[in-house]
Amino acid sequence: MVGYGPEDDHFVAELTYNYGVGEYRLSSDFLGMTLMSSQAVSNARKMGWPLKEVAKGIFETEAPGGYKFYLEDKEQPKQDPVLKVTLAVSNLQKSVSYWSDLLGMKIYETNEEKQRALLGYADNQCKLELQGIGGAVDHGTAFGRIAFSCPKEELPNIEALMKKEKQKILTPLVSLDTPGKATVQVVILADPDGHEICFVGDEAFRELSKMDPNGNKLLDDAMAADKSDEWFAKHKMQKASA
């Protein structure tokens, strides 16, 4: 789990390694993550990581797997610098209705001409940007899901509403055990374009998502075991340090 702070008040990305999978096919579903950090821009330049200026002070770059990131060259804010995550949708109006009317997100901005909408649950949290692409959304073989925590007593209501509205439920409300840690309740949905959405009971999630003081060492040990140093050397790139 990688982010700029604890999951209580920061957007966090989950990076997974799936054994036996040598390659993923990216497609049109995930359009990128935008964050505000002049330090990130500086780090990329220092490491020779490719940057392309796509607007004044905004640079596009790619993670090794091809996922796009947009870096605003401004001082990193004290709150979460991850500003938004952008997903492709086939019908902007239909998707905005789903995320706002059914899932209760606030609409911050809409631009019919550019087929964009910005939504979120709170002013100080990472936003969700929906971008109409004028056609079907292809999830390729590398798609993930977006997750939100909420009071666990709300989970049955979310599930009941989706059943009533005949919306897709991928995983009905279930409890998931984590050995030695909390048992969390989750329900997993799919929006009109098949984007997966996980709602997690907040109380157990906060217990499960506490920062591990040994996290950096565990990550370094794991990367040493998978020989990532050799990969970076082979590609003549400098590995970032935690």
Side-chain angles (χ1 to χ4, degrees):
M1 309 300 285
V2 183
Y4 285 91
E7 291 176 81
D8 282 358
D9 51 13
H10 288 74
F11 179 90
V12 172
E14 180 178 7
L15 308 179
T16 62
Y17 175 83
N18 295 299
Y19 290 91
V21 180
E23 187 177 2
Y24 294 98
R25 180 175 66 85
L26 298 183
S27 196
S28 64
D29 57 347
F30 176 73
L31 299 181
M33 186 183 298
T34 301
L35 57 95
M36 182 188 294
S37 174
S38 55
Q39 184 65 54
V41 175
S42 174
N43 289 345
R45 285 174 173 152
K46 227 183 294 186
M47 296 170 63
W49 204 270
L51 289 174
K52 180 171 73 173
E53 190 165 17
V54 293
K56 185 172 176 57
I58 300 178
F59 297 86
E60 177 187 300
T61 188
E62 285 187 6
Y67 298 103
K68 291 188 183 300
F69 287 78
Y70 295 90
L71 312 179
E72 287 198 21
D73 194 7
K74 295 179 182 177
E75 184 178 352
Q76 187 171 308
K78 291 181 180 178
Q79 68 268 25
D80 192 354
V82 182
L83 302 181
K84 64 184 179 182
V85 172
T86 306
L87 300 180
V89 297
S90 58
N91 183 313
L92 184 63
Q93 187 175 4
K94 187 176 180 180
S95 292
V96 168
S97 177
Y98 179 92
W99 286 90
S100 61
D101 297 342
L102 293 182
L103 297 187
M105 273 194 166
K106 176 183 175 182
I107 301 172
Y108 284 87
E109 298 172 19
T110 55
N111 188 321
E112 288 291 334
E113 185 181 349
K114 293 185 177 180
Q115 282 291 288
R116 288 179 186 167
L118 192 69
L119 303 94
Y121 281 117
D123 295 352
N124 62 345
Q125 290 180 350
C126 174
K127 303 301 185 295
L128 172 70
E129 183 178 54
L130 303 177
Q131 173 67 62
I133 59 172
V137 175
D138 181 359
H139 293 279
T141 61
F143 59 91
R145 68 169 62 111
I146 193 162
F148 305 93
S149 68
C150 65
K152 68 178 180 181
E153 63 264 21
E154 291 184 14
L155 296 176
N157 298 332
I158 293 171
E159 182 181 49
L161 178 61
M162 293 300 141
K163 286 180 179 177
K164 178 186 172 188
E165 297 295 329
K166 295 181 170 52
Q167 297 295 328
K168 188 173 286 186
I169 299 173
L170 299 177
T171 302
L173 183 56
V174 65
S175 294
L176 300 175
D177 291 326
T178 305
K181 295 186 178 180
T183 297
V184 295
Q185 294 77 38
V186 305
V187 60
I188 303 175
L189 315 173
D191 81 349
D193 288 295
H195 292 294
E196 296 189 10
I197 309 149
C198 180
F199 283 93
V200 186
D202 187 68
E203 297 83 352
F205 173 74
R206 286 182 185 274
E207 175 66 27
L208 188 65
S209 62
K210 284 180 180 175
M211 289 182 68
D212 188 334
N214 297 315
N216 284 347
K217 182 180 185 306
L218 291 170
L219 180 60
D220 287 339
D221 290 347
M223 288 194 294
D226 74 7
K227 302 184 179 180
S228 65
D229 285 332
E230 294 179 14
W231 186 92
F232 276 91
K234 179 181 176 182
H235 291 81
K236 297 180 180 176
M237 296 172 66
Q238 179 184 348
K239 185 170 77 171
S241 57

